Amino acid sequence: MLLYGYFRSSAAYRVRIALNLKGLTYDYRFIHLQKNDQLSPEYAGINPQKLVPTLDDGGHLLTQSLAIIEYLEETRPEPALLPRDPVERARVRALAQAIACDIHPINNLRVLRYLMKDLGVAEDKKDAWYRHWVEDGLQAVETILARDPATGRFCHGDSPTIADICLVPQVANARRFKCDLSACPTVERIAAECAQIEAFARAAPDKQPDAE
Amino acid sequence: MLLYGYFRSSAAYRVRIALNLKGLTYDYRFIHLQKNDQLSPEYAGINPQKLVPTLDDGGHLLTQSLAIIEYLEETRPEPALLPRDPVERARVRALAQAIACDIHPINNLRVLRYLMKDLGVAEDKKDAWYRHWVEDGLQAVETILARDPATGRFCHGDSPTIADICLVPQVANARRFKCDLSACPTVERIAAECAQIEAFARAAPDKQPDAE
């Protein structure tokens, strides 16, 4: 398998965690987002959205981090990253999507660029925008986690799921942008639990060969 | 089942289509987003993200449209809204997420409100923002659809999948905001195919009891 990614991409980070949790090895191709490698005709041919990650599994070019992780779950089921019960699976997927749909895309590089270049938003207001969506979004996740006994050592029970795989990169971004997570103690506790696990630790941006 | 939704919410529209395709009946509770019903303490207790939709299935409160649809697929498998093969499932999910993660959230009501109220963006520039993300995003979807023989009468083969369920509400929004879809003939063709199907037609915003 070959993963097209970027050390700082949250979405690529998710796939790295999933691959590590499944015990899968992969080659890594750097797509330098700040240098616009993703806009090259060659990469656009691989991923027409011009986003990372893309996973090449035996010639099958898979895109969208959550679709890739569901694919890994279906083709390499152990260890499971989703519970078995449909209601529990729905809870885990909803937590993952609360991050992957409702926080991350609003703060993606191309969106921040549009704010600054096309709308002339100043850096401090762009940073406030970033923090707003992270803090607002993670507070909703905190509420979901804190009120439900299904939350365990991790977001759902006592083994990592797709929800944790989305949570950890988002918390890493929150820290990088100095977001206020004081209202999110459960989120912080779970992120700290995950950091103890080698599959999560090894996937961190600063551990990647393209880290700067 | 009870669906908390709003006639114009794309995400609620997706769930309405899925429920109709599965032949499931449901009651409908209106959450008027423009009037901020979603911010009420009562609704925030049901859905801490203060977003629609929420589906109550026998007391299980399910959130996030794609998680809800996967739940429906797992609990009411016929007719299938995902193919069987993992690579094909990944393609369908990636198409769905290209819309549900990378177009829709950036143009959500709360984001447009932040642009105007917090950043002082003028209406015309807010509309240009909206059109930019729809046109850019649907052109990527068009490329994925147009180049792959897996595309059939619908986004994947000849029966509707989760990809079509995401595509149709996004195209409806594109038309409402007068986006330029001239570069997206496959997207428009598939949306027209779907419009012929009663399950899609009956889920349209203007057919809902809370339509204005």
Side-chain angles (χ1 to χ4, degrees):
Chain A
M1 282 191 287
L2 172 63
L3 178 66
Y4 296 83
Y6 180 57
F7 75 107
R8 250 186 201 156
S9 157
S10 285
Y13 188 177
R14 292 176 202 143
V15 175
R16 293 194 301 261
I17 298 168
L19 288 164
N20 291 348
L21 284 168
K22 297 275 186 194
L24 301 167
T25 56
Y26 59 95
D27 291 317
Y28 191 46
R29 185 77 51 88
F30 318 137
I31 303 296
H32 198 300
L33 299 187
Q34 293 286 355
K35 291 183 184 162
N36 289 330
D37 285 358
Q38 74 280 17
L39 306 181
S40 72
E42 189 202 342
Y43 187 69
I46 291 167
N47 184 326
Q49 285 197 276
K50 304 168 195 165
L51 296 170
V52 292
T54 303
L55 184 69
D56 181 339
D57 187 17
H60 296 298
L61 293 173
L62 308 165
T63 64
Q64 284 289 340
S65 61
L66 291 182
I68 293 170
I69 296 170
E70 294 264 0
Y71 168 84
L72 293 173
E73 182 74 356
E74 290 175 352
T75 57
R76 284 85 166 178
E78 299 297 331
L81 303 178
L82 279 171
R84 286 196 178 184
D85 176 75
V87 172
E88 294 182 47
R89 291 164 77 84
R91 179 177 184 263
V92 168
R93 287 187 175 121
L95 280 163
Q97 290 164 22
I99 295 164
C101 297
D102 290 327
I103 303 176
H104 175 67
I106 307 174
N107 283 338
N108 214 336
L109 178 64
R110 61 197 185 124
V111 174
L112 302 180
R113 280 179 173 171
Y114 191 102
L115 279 177
M116 296 186 76
K117 288 187 188 164
D118 295 81
L119 294 179
V121 170
E123 180 119 14
D124 64 327
K125 291 207 165 181
K126 182 264 290 174
D127 288 345
W129 160 285
Y130 193 103
R131 288 193 294 267
H132 172 77
W133 300 114
V134 173
E135 292 170 5
D136 186 69
L138 287 182
Q139 279 166 30
V141 170
E142 173 70 25
T143 303
I144 297 167
L145 291 172
R147 71 180 187 174
D148 191 336
T151 304
R153 190 179 152 205
F154 298 101
C155 287
H156 192 87
D158 295 325
S159 60
T161 64
I162 294 176
D164 306 289
I165 287 172
C166 289
L167 189 74
V168 164
Q170 191 59 66
V171 169
N173 279 347
R175 289 186 181 138
R176 190 156 70 89
F177 279 81
K178 304 194 190 321
C179 299
D180 179 5
L181 298 187
S182 59
C184 305
T186 315
V187 165
E188 294 218 270
R189 176 185 64 71
I190 292 171
E193 286 279 1
C194 292
Q196 303 300 314
I197 296 178
E198 193 265 347
F200 281 85
R202 187 155 48 90
D206 64 357
K207 297 291 190 300
Q208 303 316 302
D210 58 332
E212 285 163 7
Chain B
M1 280 189 288
L2 172 64
L3 178 66
Y4 295 83
Y6 180 57
F7 76 108
R8 249 185 201 155
S9 158
S10 284
Y13 188 176
R14 291 176 202 144
V15 174
R16 292 195 301 262
I17 298 168
L19 288 164
N20 291 347
L21 284 168
K22 297 274 186 195
L24 300 168
T25 57
Y26 60 95
D27 291 317
Y28 192 46
R29 185 77 50 89
F30 317 138
I31 303 297
H32 199 300
L33 300 187
Q34 293 285 354
K35 291 181 184 163
N36 290 329
D37 285 359
Q38 74 280 18
L39 306 182
S40 73
E42 189 201 343
Y43 187 68
I46 291 166
N47 183 326
Q49 285 196 276
K50 303 168 197 165
L51 295 171
V52 291
T54 303
L55 184 70
D56 181 338
D57 186 16
H60 296 298
L61 293 172
L62 309 165
T63 63
Q64 286 288 340
S65 61
L66 292 182
I68 293 170
I69 297 169
E70 295 263 2
Y71 168 84
L72 292 174
E73 182 75 356
E74 290 175 353
T75 56
R76 285 85 164 177
E78 298 299 332
L81 303 178
L82 280 170
R84 285 197 178 183
D85 176 75
V87 172
E88 294 182 47
R89 292 163 75 85
R91 179 178 184 262
V92 169
R93 286 188 175 119
L95 280 163
Q97 291 165 20
I99 294 165
C101 297
D102 290 327
I103 303 177
H104 175 68
I106 307 174
N107 284 337
N108 214 336
L109 178 63
R110 62 198 184 123
V111 175
L112 302 180
R113 280 179 172 170
Y114 191 101
L115 279 177
M116 297 186 76
K117 288 189 187 163
D118 295 82
L119 295 179
V121 171
E123 180 118 15
D124 63 326
K125 291 210 165 179
K126 182 264 290 175
D127 288 346
W129 160 286
Y130 193 103
R131 287 193 296 266
H132 172 77
W133 300 113
V134 173
E135 292 170 5
D136 186 70
L138 286 181
Q139 279 166 31
V141 169
E142 173 70 25
T143 302
I144 297 168
L145 292 172
R147 71 179 187 175
D148 191 335
T151 304
R153 191 178 153 207
F154 298 101
C155 287
H156 192 86
D158 295 325
S159 60
T161 64
I162 293 175
D164 306 288
I165 288 172
C166 290
L167 189 74
V168 164
Q170 191 59 65
V171 169
N173 279 346
R175 289 187 181 138
R176 190 157 71 89
F177 279 80
K178 304 193 192 321
C179 299
D180 179 5
L181 298 186
S182 59
C184 305
T186 314
V187 165
E188 294 218 272
R189 175 184 65 72
I190 292 172
E193 286 279 2
C194 292
Q196 303 300 313
I197 296 178
E198 194 266 347
F200 282 84
R202 186 155 48 91
D206 63 358
K207 297 290 190 298
Q208 303 316 303
D210 58 333
E212 286 163 7

